Amino acid sequence: MCGITGWVSYEQDLTGARDVVAAMTATMAARGPDADGMWVEGHAALGHRRLAIIDIEGGAQPMTAETPDGPVALVYSGETYNFTELRAELQARGHRFRGRSDTEVVLHGYLEWGAAVAERLIGMFAFAIWDARVQRLVLIRDQLGIKPLYLLPTRDGVLFGSEPKAILANPGANAIVGMDGLRELFTLITDPATAVWHGMRQVEPGTVVTVDRDGLRESRYWTLRTAEHTDDLGRTIATVRDLLDDSVRRQLVADVPLCTLLSGGLDSSAVTALAARQLRSSGASVRSFTVEFSDQKANFVADEWRGTLDSPFADEAARHVGARHHTIEIDTAELAAPPVRAAVVAARDLPLGLGDSDASLYLLSRAVRERSTVALSGESADEVFAGYRWFHEPALRDADTFPWMAAMPTAMTRRTALLRPDLARALDLDNYVRDQYRTALARVEPLPGEGPLDARMRQISYLHITRFLRAMLDRKDRMSMAVGLEVRVPLCDHRLVDYLHNVPWAFKAHDGREKSLLRSATAELLPRSVVDRKKSHYPIAQDAPYVGALQRQAAELLAAEHPVLEIMDAAAVRKVAQRDVGGVDLPDRLGLEQFLDLAVWLDQHRPQLRTA
């Protein structure tokens, strides 16, 4: 895992701009703490920060291949899990390798197949290739968007980077956020192309972007395709298990310490059990980690989102599979500490106001990184295997909007309660959400003859994989890479996602519960308590001191008349900040989190806001 950045300018010789490229590269030091590198020639400059995972000595970047017509240079972030097979195929075609990294395989794959190399890759990746033979930049992002990649078209070329901060470090980029950017911030929608920052956008998942003197072009090499599912239930469960086994097996390859993130839910327990089984065959065992807040056992209150504590189930799952298990306890005082908030907002480049769910993931990742460099996660099971309750409750499933928007209180999905009223009206989030929903639905490919329930579940599958999942993957990437931890997501293997997208709903819910196929495919590996456990969402701090810390920090900003009050309504914030702690509900709390995040973001980036 690494961080990449670059600059192409067809009207400048960039050999004189090495200091600028170095500054862009330095913004991603956390993503790649092990080494840095830069390649500059004529109109192109590439920067790289490395987190060494495979071929520690031989995988340095930028990596180049010399050809009779000029060099081809690569900067690469992520992992290609089928690089061993591709390497053998390329060797059979005459290619010779100097090392054993997947990066070199991708570079030679491009030399052999051009941009079509993307179609052959299994993994999580974002990379850029400067092909000096034709003076062309090629940007490629993985099928599901696990690894981030942003770009900013310029008058004579393009800037790109793993994170917006790399692009914003170039003097040619302006830190401007307009109304559409603000709309993205204040809703629970993730447009797969937007970057919030004006003029900047993401390379969409499954997409190749090429830039040359004629401009910028995009082409899709992968998307969710509709097809008839012909396997019966038994064959479907067996295929899911085969795909899970293969995905986990591939993702256990590393030359550094590796572990799993284990919550005690079905998803992470299945990944941990599969990993334990694979490692046991070679005489090794898996190490696992879970997160728990201090005093959580004493303060825990079950609700509709979190019915049970994680740690008892994580402990039992770990014992059952023979994992070397560790519980990371997070002090809620540290969770609310301003330096942690500053680190989270800096990692995100945005003030998303998700509060302790982001902060706790950051702190968990930091603690895990002290003992491991790679972690496997159960992320994406809820989106891919239909784990959320809104897949199963007809009123939410059939709502004429994104189903998660129907399930959550409006104060959480359109977070305008503490905004200045005039700005809230101008944002017009109801119409924005409606337009985004229509745009997303228009991309769903129907299956002729499919019944209304299966047709609707196909839509919901598509919405989750192309919208909701993107937000979850970005959160995981930013919080983990901020401390140099590579998190792999075996359940995001595009082959598994492809297969499940076309499975009929009767199979996906064949036992009348959430994640039926995942349960059936892995139940024999797990303790009964985990198999039977009801979905419980990621934990949040529930103690009064945490809320009190938010209130005190908000009061300090109010007293200082912080510039954040140009966005947020002082009277509304003050009302929540002065309320009795016991009277602060979750939407109020998220409002305070958002207020504090916005203040930090304004201090860090000093963006120019265009709200007219």
Side-chain angles (χ1 to χ4, degrees):
M1 197 75 70
C2 306
I4 67 173
T5 190
W7 181 10
V8 171
S9 172
Y10 289 105
E11 295 180 5
Q12 296 183 64
D13 182 347
L14 296 181
T15 55
R18 295 182 68 90
D19 57 337
V20 175
V21 182
M24 295 169 68
T25 305
T27 64
M28 295 178 301
R31 294 188 74 92
D34 295 329
D36 65 343
M38 191 163 50
W39 183 90
V40 184
E41 183 174 290
H43 299 300
L46 306 177
H48 186 265
R49 291 289 313 202
R50 186 183 185 205
L51 177 62
I53 303 293
I54 294 174
D55 191 7
I56 307 301
E57 300 301 324
Q61 297 186 51
M63 189 174 286
T64 59
E66 297 297 331
T67 78
D69 299 315
V72 177
L74 166 71
V75 283
Y76 171 87
S77 170
E79 306 290 347
T80 295
Y81 301 126
N82 63 329
F83 76 98
T84 302
E85 298 99 306
L86 290 175
R87 178 191 177 96
E89 183 178 356
L90 288 163
Q91 286 176 322
R93 291 171 177 261
H95 291 259
R96 297 293 176 261
F97 292 86
R98 293 171 292 179
R100 55 186 183 82
S101 70
D102 58 335
T103 304
E104 190 176 7
V105 172
V106 171
L107 177 58
H108 280 263
Y110 175 81
L111 294 174
E112 180 68 30
W113 299 300
V117 66
E119 300 168 17
R120 297 171 177 263
L121 303 182
I122 299 170
M124 55 178 190
F125 48 83
F127 59 91
I129 293 175
W130 174 252
D131 192 336
R133 300 172 300 180
V134 288
Q135 296 288 291
R136 177 185 300 140
L137 178 73
V138 179
L139 301 172
I140 297 177
R141 190 176 180 194
D142 67 67
Q143 295 90 341
L144 275 298
I146 304 168
K147 290 291 98 187
L149 185 56
Y150 294 81
L151 65 85
L152 176 68
T154 63
R155 180 180 55 82
D156 67 334
V158 71
L159 301 167
F160 68 87
S162 293
E163 298 178 0
K165 60 174 64 68
I167 295 172
L168 293 172
N170 188 294
N174 297 312
I176 297 171
V177 176
M179 291 296 281
D180 278 344
L182 290 174
R183 290 182 180 105
E184 187 80 5
L185 287 180
F186 296 123
T187 58
L188 287 179
I189 301 173
T190 301
D191 186 324
T194 189
V196 175
W197 300 95
H198 180 71
M200 194 184 300
R201 58 193 178 86
Q202 297 186 53
V203 175
E204 291 199 47
T207 297
V208 175
V209 174
T210 57
V211 182
D212 57 24
R213 291 182 182 276
D214 294 327
L216 183 152
R217 292 173 299 283
E218 298 180 64
S219 62
R220 285 286 181 91
Y221 72 89
W222 182 90
T223 190
L224 282 172
R225 294 292 185 192
T226 292
E228 184 179 1
H229 185 78
T230 56
D231 292 344
D232 63 19
L233 178 58
R235 182 68 251 165
T236 298
I237 293 170
T239 300
V240 168
R241 175 59 183 269
D242 289 345
L243 288 168
L244 290 171
D245 277 330
D246 187 66
S247 181
V248 170
R249 176 184 61 81
R250 292 177 182 278
Q251 298 194 30
L252 289 173
V253 176
D255 294 336
V256 294
L258 179 147
C259 68
T260 68
L261 303 180
L262 175 60
S263 70
L266 179 63
D267 326 340
S268 62
S269 299
V271 169
T272 301
L274 289 164
R277 185 168 180 163
Q278 297 274 1
L279 292 171
R280 195 178 303 122
S281 65
S282 60
S285 62
V286 69
R287 173 179 280 182
S288 59
F289 293 88
T290 193
V291 64
E292 184 175 275
F293 300 126
S294 57
D295 300 323
Q296 188 174 25
K297 289 184 175 69
N299 295 315
F300 180 75
V301 177
D303 59 27
E304 63 176 321
W305 302 100
R306 298 163 190 87
T308 50
L309 281 169
D310 283 347
S311 55
F313 293 92
D315 291 345
E316 186 171 359
R319 284 194 300 271
H320 189 82
V321 304
R324 291 169 289 139
H325 188 58
H326 309 269
T327 297
I328 305 296
E329 184 172 295
I330 296 175
D331 189 335
T332 50
E334 186 177 18
L335 203 60
V340 172
R341 184 176 302 278
V344 167
V345 174
R348 282 281 208 174
D349 287 315
L350 294 172
L352 296 183
L354 297 179
D356 67 301
S357 65
D358 272 0
S360 63
L361 182 56
Y362 169 81
L363 293 171
L364 170 64
S365 298
R366 190 175 71 181
V368 171
R369 182 61 175 90
E370 294 174 359
R371 310 180 210 186
S372 187
T373 310
V374 176
L376 271 63
S377 164
E379 194 77 70
S380 84
D382 290 308
E383 293 81 10
V384 174
F385 285 98
Y388 297 117
R389 66 185 181 90
W390 48 81
F391 277 91
H392 303 271
E393 298 180 17
L396 304 177
R397 182 189 69 208
D398 298 333
D400 191 24
T401 188
F402 297 101
W404 56 91
M405 303 285 277
M408 300 177 190
T410 302
M412 294 174 62
T413 59
R414 297 166 182 79
R415 297 166 62 185
T416 59
L418 301 186
L419 286 183
R420 280 190 359 238
D422 58 326
L423 178 57
R425 286 192 297 271
L427 289 173
D428 190 14
L429 293 185
D430 286 343
N431 278 324
Y432 177 72
V433 170
R434 189 177 302 114
D435 290 345
Q436 286 286 322
Y437 178 64
R438 299 293 178 228
T439 299
L441 277 189
R443 291 189 171 189
V444 181
E445 182 183 353
L447 180 67
E450 192 168 51
L453 176 58
D454 276 316
R456 179 55 178 165
M457 299 318 296
R458 182 180 299 281
Q459 290 178 338
I460 291 178
S461 169
Y462 186 92
L463 294 174
H464 278 81
I465 292 167
T466 61
R467 296 291 182 127
F468 199 78
L469 179 58
R470 304 276 165 80
M472 299 298 102
L473 292 173
D474 188 67
R475 168 180 174 265
K476 185 79 78 177
D477 174 86
R478 298 304 186 87
M479 294 304 100
S480 60
M481 291 306 294
V483 296
L485 176 69
E486 173 175 294
V487 176
R488 299 177 178 178
V489 281
L491 305 184
C492 263
D493 187 308
H494 76 275
R495 299 168 301 164
L496 178 66
V497 174
D498 263 335
Y499 184 76
L500 287 169
H501 182 60
N502 289 300
V503 172
W505 181 245
F507 289 5
K508 287 184 177 180
H510 70 85
D511 64 359
R513 296 192 57 190
E514 77 282 359
K515 292 180 280 199
S516 302
L517 290 174
L518 179 60
R519 181 177 296 102
S520 295
T522 60
E524 48 111 1
L525 301 174
L526 302 171
R528 194 73 238 169
S529 62
V530 171
V531 173
D532 292 338
R533 188 187 182 195
K534 186 178 179 182
K535 163 72 183 174
S536 188
H537 288 255
Y538 189 83
I540 62 172
Q542 293 184 311
D543 61 341
Y546 178 78
V547 177
L550 300 181
Q551 291 178 303
R552 288 192 299 276
Q553 292 168 25
E556 291 170 4
L557 292 175
L558 289 167
E561 298 183 353
H562 191 279
V564 71
L565 296 176
E566 296 175 14
I567 303 172
M568 307 294 276
D569 182 67
V573 175
R574 186 174 293 109
K575 184 177 179 181
V576 177
Q578 294 176 347
R579 188 173 295 158
D580 180 78
V581 169
V584 177
D585 60 16
L586 184 57
D588 287 338
R589 176 173 144 175
L590 288 173
L592 290 178
E593 302 272 19
Q594 184 179 57
F595 176 68
L596 297 173
D597 279 8
L598 278 163
V600 171
W601 180 61
L602 292 173
D603 290 341
Q604 289 178 349
H605 288 284
R606 302 198 178 280
Q608 177 184 346
L609 302 179
R610 293 181 176 174
T611 58

